[in-house]
Amino acid sequence: MAMSLLSNMFLFLCFFFFSVTVSAQLNHTNTKTNNTTNLNSLSLSFPLTLHLSTNTTSKMLYSSMVSNSKRNPRLKTPPSSSYNNNNKFSFKYSMALIVSLPIGTPPQVQQMVLDTGSQLSWIQCHNKAPKKPPPTASFDPSLSSTFSILPCTHPMCKPRIPDFTLSTSCVQNRLCHYSYFYADGTYAEGNLVREKLTFSRSVITPPLILGCATESDDARGILGMNRGRLSFASQSKITKFSYCVPTRLTRPGSFPTGSFYLGNNPNSAGFRYVEMLTFTQSQRMPNLDPLAYTVAIQGIRIGGKKLSISPAVFVADAGGSGQTIVDSGSEFTYLVNEAYGKVREEVARVVGPGMKKGYVYGGVADMCFDGDAIEIGRLIGDMVFEFEKGVEIVVPKERVLADVGGGVHCIGIGSSEKLNAASNIIGNFHQQNMWVEFDLTNRRVGFGRADCSRLAK
């Protein structure tokens, strides 16, 4: 009961902060009450909380990999009755970026995981109490005047929808049913619906297609933000969004808080941008995710030394392998074999015999240590991901290691091959204390250093 009261108070404070922020930013708008609004003409900010779970696997770690089953046969969307639990990964820590958004009319605040690696946004609409009580109440459709069911006659219920791999079907009661399975065995299924987000009396989105989950393994929903036509970013017609990931803390019950912007970010004057690589329909290759936010890394430095990795390793080849994705829904960063091997070789060289032998965290990361994390970080030094035009992601030596429990610390990088993926993925572990902006109009990704926790105060 005490934890429930604490969670409710936390959500109230988040929504109060959001309401005050939006109200202040709308003082100069002339939008008429109850009209839908072009969100890009505004600057809406929200608290972005970092939730660190120690008792669940991280489904979001693999969200961007599920979207293309041809690329990853192991990650096919299976029927629930035949799913093989051997596909699960035993990640002890899951670092998810959570934003609380006002769904429906009047708004009901719902927690959603910010995921730039997936398309469908969905909320909790349980008809019965879930096995594990969620930290916030599920969405109640009967309380919203703008809620409607997507009918079976809608094109979304037809198979093989271009750029949307969700499994949908028309069920007996004429509802458009969907099922979505993730690589670690967790899932969400329910009905596709239309609903608005009500940010204020004068700022309301058009009706958006969302998943209304009646069964799921997670207490929160997902805010799908990739480049697909059914993502929240596309449906709401925003042309840019950004977030600032706070540094992670491992204290139980702690919720480090950063920021999330829809529309213009007042801090963008200090951002530096890299080109977003895009792909046409004719370029769709078996190992490519054409809806992801793709960039090209030029190189990697460790402790001031540039590793001998060809830039071609970070760019999609003729089959799509090697694509480099910026993904808020993945915790760790993943590198393909050539790059991962060079990083591991350099880490082993500078740390020496300190690396744990025969230890592979979660089946994907084997650069792990038992010793003093501060001293090991000092030996490794800063890690830098280099991009075009001198743009860099700098990971200071104090944060190159992730605490994975049991006194073990690992480099926050895993092997793409062991993940059964053909891509490089820049996860949120390497996006801490940094603004990341997705400028959809100009097809670019911006980065800017920041103290994300301080900005949120």
Side-chain angles (χ1 to χ4, degrees), residues 205-445:
T205 69
L208 310 179
I209 295 177
L210 305 172
C212 195
T214 54
E215 299 287 342
S216 68
D217 285 342
D218 201 305
R220 298 175 289 256
I222 292 177
L223 185 66
M225 296 293 286
N226 76 2
R227 298 177 56 246
R229 62 193 177 91
L230 288 171
S231 73
F232 175 82
S234 296
Q235 289 193 75
S236 59
K237 301 188 185 306
I238 61 172
T239 58
K240 66 175 64 172
F241 66 93
S242 53
Y243 56 80
C244 198
V245 180
T247 53
R248 62 190 281 174
L249 301 173
T250 56
R251 295 195 305 270
S254 64
F255 298 101
T257 302
S259 300
F260 174 56
Y261 272 89
L262 292 174
N264 296 315
N265 186 327
N267 303 281
S268 63
F271 297 173
R272 300 190 65 188
Y273 295 88
V274 297
E275 179 183 359
M276 186 191 304
L277 306 182
T278 57
F279 306 90
T280 64
Q281 289 275 358
S282 62
Q283 291 178 289
R284 299 209 168 178
M285 298 165 274
N287 294 318
L288 183 78
D289 182 353
L291 306 181
Y293 295 106
T294 304
V295 295
I297 296 177
Q298 299 293 315
I300 297 176
R301 299 198 311 271
I302 295 180
K305 176 184 177 181
K306 185 164 183 174
L307 306 184
S308 57
I309 306 172
S310 169
V313 171
F314 303 110
V315 181
D317 62 18
S321 299
Q323 173 185 23
T324 300
I325 298 167
V326 182
D327 187 5
S328 67
S330 289
E331 179 179 358
F332 276 12
T333 288
Y334 293 89
L335 299 175
V336 296
N337 270 355
E338 183 175 337
Y340 186 80
K342 293 292 185 180
V343 170
R344 194 182 190 284
E345 181 181 293
E346 178 63 14
V347 170
R349 184 187 72 81
V350 297
V351 178
M355 192 179 295
K356 283 177 69 68
K357 295 181 179 179
Y359 181 89
V360 183
Y361 171 62
V364 295
D366 63 357
M367 293 182 281
C368 301
F369 310 88
D370 278 324
D372 185 330
I374 296 176
E375 176 59 21
I376 293 169
R378 187 188 66 78
L379 290 172
I380 296 171
D382 297 346
M383 185 176 296
V384 180
F385 297 91
E386 302 175 345
F387 299 88
E388 62 182 359
K389 302 175 184 177
V391 179
E392 298 179 338
I393 291 178
V394 179
V395 184
K397 56 182 177 294
E398 296 82 8
R399 290 206 309 273
V400 296
L401 296 177
D403 182 354
V404 299
V408 179
H409 291 79
C410 298
I411 300 288
I413 297 177
S415 164
S416 294
E417 181 183 48
K418 292 176 181 176
L419 185 66
N420 197 30
S423 305
N424 302 289
I425 305 169
I426 303 173
N428 61 41
F429 183 82
H430 290 121
Q431 298 175 41
Q432 296 176 82
N433 266 3
M434 178 183 303
W435 281 112
V436 182
E437 180 182 83
F438 300 87
D439 184 343
L440 307 181
T441 298
N442 297 303
R443 297 183 178 183
R444 59 184 188 171
V445 179

Side-chain angles (χ1 to χ4, degrees), residues 65-79 82-84 87 165 180-186 420:
M65 296 296 98
V66 181
S67 62
N68 192 334
S69 60
K70 290 182 180 178
R71 179 182 59 190
N72 300 297
R74 186 178 179 181
L75 305 185
K76 289 180 180 178
T77 301
S82 64
Y83 188 74
N84 183 355
N87 284 342
T165 57
Y180 204 86
F181 287 79
Y182 295 84
D184 65 353
T186 57
N420 197 30

